[in-house]
Amino acid sequence: MTWKATFEKWKQYDELETDLGVKLKELEENPAELEDAFYKTLTFGTGGMRGILGPGTNRMNTYTIRKAVEGLALYMLEHIEGARDKGVAIAYDSRYMSQEFSVEAARVLGAHGIKAYVYESLRPTPYLSFAVRHLQTAAGIMITASHNPPEYNGFKVYNDQGAQMPPAEANELISYVNSVESELTVPVLDQEEIERDGLLNWIGEDVDKAYMERLMGIIRNPEMIREQSDISIVFTPLHGTAYQPVLNGLEQAGFTNVHVVEEQAKPDPEFSTVSSPNPEEHQAFAKAIELGKEKGADLLIATDPDADRLGVAVQNEEGEYEVLTGNQLGTLTIDYLLSQTTPLPEDATVIKTIVTTEMGRKVAEHYGARMIETLTGFKFIAEQIEAFNETGDGTFLYGFEESYGYLVDEYVRDKDAVQAAITASELAAYWRQEGKTLYQALRSLYERHGYYLEGLHSLTLKGKEGTEKIQQIMDHFREEQPSQIGSYKVIAVEDYSDQTRTFLDGRKSETIDLPKENVVKYILEEDAWCCLRPSGTEPKIKCYFGVKTDAPETSAERLEELKEAMVSKMESVIQESVK
């Protein structure tokens, strides 16, 4: 069926929601946008789907949600024993249509006799992961688009371990979603009917309390926190879901001097005080920095809308607040957790992704712990944790990724900004007791292990043409493998699409013991590296860089040089595609 035929099908559908019908008529005035809304089905990837709100098969709306949930229901009934009674836990964030989509999901599940356990109001993503494990449901759904702009929403699926599905499991689910013939005709039951029949159950404070009890267990030094309880902390939830969870956690942990950025405290689907509700971007800290200066704060913390990512800012040597990278905070946390865990288990293990700093490995090995790598995405870290529990081949102590995702305790199986907020506050209190700021503690780590520095360049290429250009870039770097990037000699090329590590000095190729993925990584001399990876949730191709030298200025220079070399190569590929 052509996209035009699909559009006509939607246009002629008598029961189309009124609001979507109005927007559909508006789209007819813009042929390019109309085609983009219908030229494909919104991709249901290994983590779910994410897209712009609006009418069309390539948009987030009631009907694309119904199709996704219909596929999940069919998958559950075929693969999970007792799926109807175990049910599905559902949570949602502060975005437009999030609450409505959560109820739509319950209505579809209800048509199959599958119970839904829906949070009574918005909750963070880690709470959904926890609810799946706590309620022992067969699956979980999180309605969120994380830190994307206001016009987006998304749909993430979790398995019975409270983790996003690993590739094999997800691919099986995807086949069921794709088998649904029409998103417009998925059967649903009325909300009143499923509530009456016990197929829609509202959850809230009981599960919240259970989460908070486990949260207090991550604290390493409660007595030290009591002694440093007046450490000044500024917190902003960036209009998302973390306001109450983080404040409750800090209060119960014993922190008494916490200041909230009030303009950003309430949920707001427009995220009206920031250009992007992403703690990875320094502009998101603008108001927190204002309040921090007023209060003389030791620590600034910010969470993204669904509270799975945490950003931190601390005062540097000039007294100005500097936002730490995910790599820096993760490495500081490894150093603290391992130094404060006594005795350290012989099989103590820290987990990071392939695009996360190598400094974490250096610090872990300094304490006698091992570091293992996964593909990008916290589902792979969760999968490794579950493997430890099944085989006994490791004791999980910490997992992190460069994109501001951290997990301290495995009672949640996704990145958890609530856990990370408590741990970052404990870190700051500990180092204040030692007479240092977090910034000074980080400098000490650099002096001991070397000046590791990482960077990221994201290239946004929207629409059908953008998707094609992203693949052209990946194909080019595979087909024309460079022997040198900038001033760095290439030692090896890791192509995760065929799981091979090829050495350029003639050594025998190796097999990469990780799942297949559309990723190419270059291992360079002098502990440098760079990696190309299309985003799984946004129309972007991401290029990651890492260097290490003995001086901060040198590392900054070498990183910029490496970035310029890779970006230049990417742009030349795009220019060639235009000719």
Side-chain angles (χ1 to χ4, degrees):
M1 185 179 292
T2 66
W3 73 263
K4 290 183 179 179
T6 305
F7 159 65
E8 288 296 333
K9 188 176 176 183
W10 274 61
K11 183 179 178 180
Q12 295 168 17
Y13 183 57
D14 292 335
E15 298 179 27
L16 192 69
E17 288 183 349
T18 303
D19 184 53
L20 290 177
V22 171
K23 292 177 179 177
L24 198 60
K25 288 183 178 178
E26 293 173 357
L27 274 182
E28 288 190 78
E29 303 301 318
N30 190 324
E33 285 190 22
L34 183 64
E35 180 180 1
D36 191 61
F38 284 95
Y39 86 93
K40 68 172 184 175
T41 298
L42 188 64
T43 303
F44 192 97
T46 54
M49 59 186 185
R50 191 179 297 182
I52 296 171
L53 290 160
T57 55
N58 191 31
R59 296 288 184 263
M60 286 292 298
N61 52 63
T62 296
Y63 305 100
T64 50
I65 285 286
R66 286 178 179 177
K67 179 178 179 178
V69 181
E70 177 73 2
L72 174 62
L74 295 173
Y75 168 85
M76 289 173 60
L77 294 174
E78 186 71 25
H79 292 275
I80 302 173
E81 186 176 349
R84 287 188 171 90
D85 286 332
K86 290 178 180 177
V88 179
I90 304 174
Y92 57 92
D93 70 4
S94 56
R95 290 181 174 273
Y96 288 117
M97 297 299 294
S98 284
Q99 185 175 22
E100 290 87 344
F101 288 164
S102 69
V103 174
E104 284 301 321
R107 294 178 66 199
V108 175
L109 293 169
H112 291 275
I114 299 173
K115 292 181 179 178
Y117 297 87
V118 183
Y119 271 105
E120 61 191 0
S121 58
L122 54 80
R123 292 296 192 282
T125 287
Y127 272 48
L128 182 276
S129 175
F130 178 78
V132 170
R133 298 176 61 78
H134 183 73
L135 299 173
Q136 298 183 321
T137 61
I141 293 171
M142 183 70 201
I143 307 295
T144 178
S146 188
H147 55 277
N148 279 73
E151 63 268 24
Y152 281 78
N153 211 328
F155 175 96
K156 296 197 291 190
V157 180
Y158 290 74
N159 61 19
D160 61 355
Q161 297 158 21
Q164 292 188 58
M165 292 181 170
E169 197 175 352
N171 287 334
E172 183 73 16
L173 169 60
I174 290 168
S175 70
Y176 281 87
V177 175
N178 292 339
S179 73
V180 179
E181 290 189 9
S182 174
E183 62 281 341
L184 297 176
T185 56
V186 172
V188 296
L189 295 182
D190 290 336
Q191 179 178 337
E192 295 77 10
E193 185 177 354
I194 56 177
E195 284 183 312
R196 183 194 66 217
D197 294 342
L199 294 171
L200 172 55
N201 305 273
W202 300 100
I203 57 176
E205 288 188 5
D206 289 347
V207 179
D208 294 347
K209 289 177 181 177
Y211 173 93
M212 201 57 61
E213 288 173 5
R214 293 298 303 265
L215 179 65
M216 292 301 101
I218 72 172
I219 296 171
R220 293 298 198 272
N221 289 301
E223 183 59 37
M224 179 273 296
I225 291 177
R226 282 191 284 273
E227 293 172 359
Q228 300 291 323
S229 63
D230 65 337
I231 186 170
S232 181
I233 301 168
V234 164
F235 165 55
T236 172
L238 297 178
H239 304 294
T241 60
Y243 176 79
Q244 209 61 57
V246 169
L247 283 187
N248 289 348
L250 291 171
E251 181 182 357
Q252 289 194 36
F255 295 101
T256 60
N257 192 14
V258 180
H259 312 279
V260 178
V261 179
E262 292 299 334
E263 304 100 307
Q264 298 173 332
K266 292 181 180 179
D268 174 11
E270 280 295 322
F271 310 112
S272 52
T273 66
V274 290
S275 57
S276 171
N278 185 357
E280 293 182 70
E281 298 179 15
H282 294 195
Q283 56 78 26
F285 274 89
K287 290 192 175 295
I289 289 172
E290 287 179 17
L291 185 58
K293 289 178 178 178
E294 178 187 330
K295 301 295 183 181
D298 300 283
L299 177 71
L300 316 181
I301 55 179
T303 54
D304 70 342
D306 66 322
D308 62 353
R309 298 173 193 244
L310 178 86
V312 160
V314 294
Q315 286 182 313
N316 60 22
E317 293 160 339
E318 287 76 41
E320 295 297 322
Y321 287 104
E322 184 169 318
V323 181
L324 301 185
T325 69
N327 287 314
Q328 290 171 333
L329 180 58
T331 303
L332 278 164
T333 306
I334 293 171
D335 178 69
Y336 178 72
L337 293 177
L338 296 185
S339 69
Q340 301 300 310
T341 303
T342 52
L344 193 68
E346 289 185 6
D347 59 355
T349 306
V350 179
I351 308 174
K352 76 177 187 72
T353 69
I354 60 173
V355 296
T356 300
T357 180
E358 284 297 305
M359 189 176 179
R361 186 190 308 278
K362 196 78 171 178
V363 172
E365 291 174 351
H366 172 78
Y367 288 101
R370 67 171 172 166
M371 172 72 76
I372 62 174
E373 284 189 330
T374 70
L375 293 176
T376 305
F378 232 85
K379 60 179 173 287
F380 296 110
I381 294 177
E383 185 181 29
Q384 189 61 61
I385 294 170
E386 188 61 24
F388 289 165
N389 292 336
E390 291 175 358
T391 65
D393 186 32
T395 298
F396 172 75
L397 286 186
Y398 187 60
F400 78 120
E401 59 184 4
E402 50 75 38
S403 56
Y404 290 56
Y406 321 94
L407 183 64
V408 181
D409 192 302
E410 63 168 282
Y411 67 84
V412 166
R413 295 294 176 84
D414 205 346
K415 50 188 177 284
D416 186 343
V418 183
Q419 285 191 24
I422 304 305
T423 301
S425 300
E426 182 177 357
L427 265 173
Y430 172 81
W431 285 112
R432 189 178 79 156
Q433 180 180 260
E434 297 295 310
K436 290 184 178 182
T437 65
L438 269 184
Y439 186 86
Q440 291 168 331
L442 178 64
R443 290 295 160 192
S444 296
L445 282 180
Y446 282 138
E447 289 167 10
R448 180 188 303 167
H449 300 293
Y451 285 87
Y452 290 81
L453 195 61
E454 296 79 28
L456 168 65
H457 178 78
S458 293
L459 186 60
T460 300
L461 297 165
K462 294 182 178 180
K464 185 179 180 181
E465 288 186 4
T467 302
E468 292 170 353
K469 287 177 181 177
I470 287 172
Q471 191 53 50
Q472 286 170 358
I473 293 171
M474 295 302 297
D475 291 342
H476 174 84
F477 276 89
R478 285 194 169 96
E479 293 164 5
E480 300 186 24
Q481 294 180 351
S483 60
Q484 187 153 330
I485 301 176
S487 63
Y488 284 107
K489 180 181 178 181
V490 179
I491 296 173
V493 181
E494 296 179 342
D495 189 343
Y496 290 82
S497 68
D498 61 8
Q499 300 167 301
T500 58
R501 181 180 296 110
T502 304
F503 295 96
L504 271 63
D505 60 4
R507 280 180 288 165
K508 186 179 179 181
S509 296
E510 297 176 348
T511 299
I512 300 171
D513 188 22
L514 288 173
K516 291 183 178 183
E517 187 89 343
N518 188 17
V519 174
V520 176
K521 184 175 183 180
Y522 296 99
I523 309 302
L524 311 175
E525 60 185 345
E526 300 176 28
D527 294 320
W529 58 272
C530 57
C531 183
L532 274 173
R533 168 184 166 265
S535 171
T537 55
E538 302 171 274
K540 292 180 179 180
I541 183 167
K542 297 184 176 183
C543 190
Y544 305 81
F545 320 91
V547 300
K548 178 208 170 187
T549 74
D550 295 329
E553 298 83 5
T554 310
S555 287
E557 291 171 4
R558 300 300 294 273
L559 186 72
E560 185 61 27
E561 176 194 319
L562 182 58
K563 176 182 175 180
E564 287 179 2
M566 283 296 290
V567 171
S568 176
K569 285 180 179 290
M570 292 166 65
E571 289 178 346
S572 67
V573 175
I574 294 173
Q575 291 300 319
E576 283 295 320
S577 71
V578 174
K579 292 180 181 178

